Amino acid sequence: MKSLYPFLMLCLFCTGLAAQDVPQQSYQLIKTRNEVQYKNYYLLSLFQQLPGLRKMLNTDPVLNNIYKTKTTQVNEAVKTCKTDISCYAKALKFNNEEIAHIGNRLALLYTENNPLGDLVKNHLIPSGCYSMFAKEQHKTLLVKAWEQDAKAINYTIGVYVEGNKPNYPKIDSISFSLRDKEYTELTAASALLSLHDNNKLFFEPAILFTLEALELNERNDAADYEPMAKGVNLAAVNRIKKTDWKKYPYSVILVPGAGPEEKDVALSPGGMIRCRLAALQYQKGAAPFIVVSGGRVHPYKTRFSEAYEMKKFLMETLQVPESAIIMEPHARHTTTNLRNCSRLMFRYGMPVNKAGMVCTMKSQSYYITDVLLERCKKELGYYPYKKGKRLSDTESEFYLNTASLQIDFDEPLDP
């Protein structure tokens, strides 16, 4: 029996570690004034928001030299780039050498019990925002999170400053012509402004330039309706706390949006039918909540939010109470309908092992069960949900996967 004791203790220790190194529903994201920032660049936001960590980075001589070099590059760009948009972008983006140099420095600074160690243990892991790296050693996870945020900044500058082709050009392209003289002046002014916001950390000029690019393009979609838990979803969030989940076979009924192609149409016929199908399931008692999912997607730069218009239709036409409706107003594709719904189920404290129901038209329903998971793996790099049973031609089950919490670096409108 004595010989088994060390083994049992090791098992308990490993179990404890495993429990700690997974996302926690109790974790509260630390938010920034501009919601676009923390949703896209969470590590960099934490560098700014955690006082002890900010002081540590701000006083490091190597990182300070990187900041000074970047400042010199930007000042030189403002003087010499003139009409060359890519010249400004190059000065603000991080090249491969800079990314590696900063990553190496962060790794050298890291210890388990200093502010960087606390960052990984208390924020990066429990947040789930970098869950693709969760199996790495903590120091490696920190470096990979930095590399992801640097890539995310570079991607956004590439699309919304340089005019590179996004993943979905029809709905997500830059708003300006690169040949427009006024756009050149805007870019030069934005580069200059990146140095004049009390920026002292090595990445702050770049992140400010990036956020300004999204703002100028009217692409702050990631911040739409935020903070949702205190606004459009407040009634539902309050009801979640009182819900007896045993009374329902499913936690939510998810309705994927169907955007119209006509500029002045608020809600498509497909969206109306999907809402009616979901309301029917709600009235049968299938789930206590309907999640309406879809952002401002079709047509290009539409002012109408699929989720908002579906919520309005459910309340005004179908008499579903607001406390039973959860808005998810950011998804731009079917992949992120499922991913973002899974995120809200987790963040809002719903039972993680209880199935949800997807309710939609027959063609999309079979697409979700037969095709979508592999598309998610290809585009997102992971499976954001687990497939359950098919219930009918228009309904199927799904289970949330905490991998869904992973930030998508190349989708700044819905990361």
Side-chain angles (χ1 to χ4, degrees), residues 377-393:
K377 180 68 173 177
K378 180 180 178 182
E379 295 185 10
L380 302 175
Y382 56 87
Y383 299 117
Y385 66 98
K386 302 166 189 173
K387 185 168 64 172
K389 296 182 296 186
R390 171 155 294 283
L391 304 171
S392 71
D393 280 345

Side-chain angles (χ1 to χ4, degrees), residues 256-262 265-271 274 293-299 302 304-306 310:
E261 292 299 336
E262 298 81 11
V265 175
L267 181 62
S268 71
R274 295 177 193 191
S293 175
R296 294 184 288 116
V297 186
H298 298 283
T302 179
F304 295 112
S305 163
E306 294 172 10
M310 287 193 290

Side-chain angles (χ1 to χ4, degrees), residues 39 221-222 224-226 228 232-233 253-257 290-297 305-311 325-345 348 413-415:
K39 294 178 82 171
D221 297 49
D224 283 357
Y225 299 100
E226 294 286 5
M228 294 189 296
V232 293
N233 289 339
I253 302 162
L254 169 62
V255 187
I290 298 174
V291 177
V292 284
S293 175
R296 294 184 288 116
V297 186
S305 163
E306 294 172 10
Y308 177 82
E309 297 303 331
M310 287 193 290
K311 177 179 179 178
I325 304 170
I326 296 172
M327 269 180 59
E328 188 294 292
H330 302 117
R332 306 183 70 74
H333 322 286
T334 310
T335 53
T336 47
N337 288 136
L338 273 293
R339 182 200 70 181
N340 292 0
C341 180
S342 294
R343 287 177 174 179
L344 288 182
M345 291 164 70
Y348 286 175
L413 309 191
D414 178 31

Side-chain angles (χ1 to χ4, degrees), residues 1-11:
M1 182 68 184
K2 287 184 179 179
S3 62
L4 287 175
Y5 182 75
F7 174 74
L8 292 172
M9 291 302 294
L10 178 63
C11 288

Side-chain angles (χ1 to χ4, degrees), residues 125-198:
I125 291 171
S127 73
C129 292
Y130 302 91
S131 58
M132 288 181 71
F133 316 127
K135 293 182 180 179
E136 303 283 356
Q137 292 184 349
H138 289 189
K139 182 189 294 186
T140 304
L141 191 158
L142 170 65
V143 173
K144 287 188 176 293
W146 150 247
E147 291 171 348
Q148 176 179 302
D149 279 19
K151 283 201 308 183
I153 282 176
N154 287 351
Y155 180 87
T156 302
I157 293 174
V159 172
Y160 293 106
V161 176
E162 297 179 275
N164 293 345
K165 188 177 179 180
N167 295 326
Y168 294 88
K170 186 177 178 182
I171 56 174
D172 294 339
S173 295
I174 190 172
S175 303
F176 300 95
S177 168
L178 272 63
R179 295 185 294 272
D180 188 336
K181 181 181 177 182
E182 182 182 2
Y183 177 60
T184 304
E185 292 178 357
L186 287 171
T187 304
S190 183
L192 185 62
L193 285 169
S194 72
L195 303 178
H196 294 283
D197 193 35
N198 197 30

Side-chain angles (χ1 to χ4, degrees), residues 351-362:
V352 295
N353 296 319
K354 195 174 188 69
M357 174 193 288
V358 186
C359 193
T360 185
M361 305 283 283
K362 178 180 177 180

Side-chain angles (χ1 to χ4, degrees), residues 110-124:
Y110 173 91
T111 67
E112 185 177 343
N113 297 313
N114 74 0
L116 285 171
D118 292 341
L119 168 75
V120 177
K121 288 181 294 189
N122 299 332
H123 296 282
L124 299 192

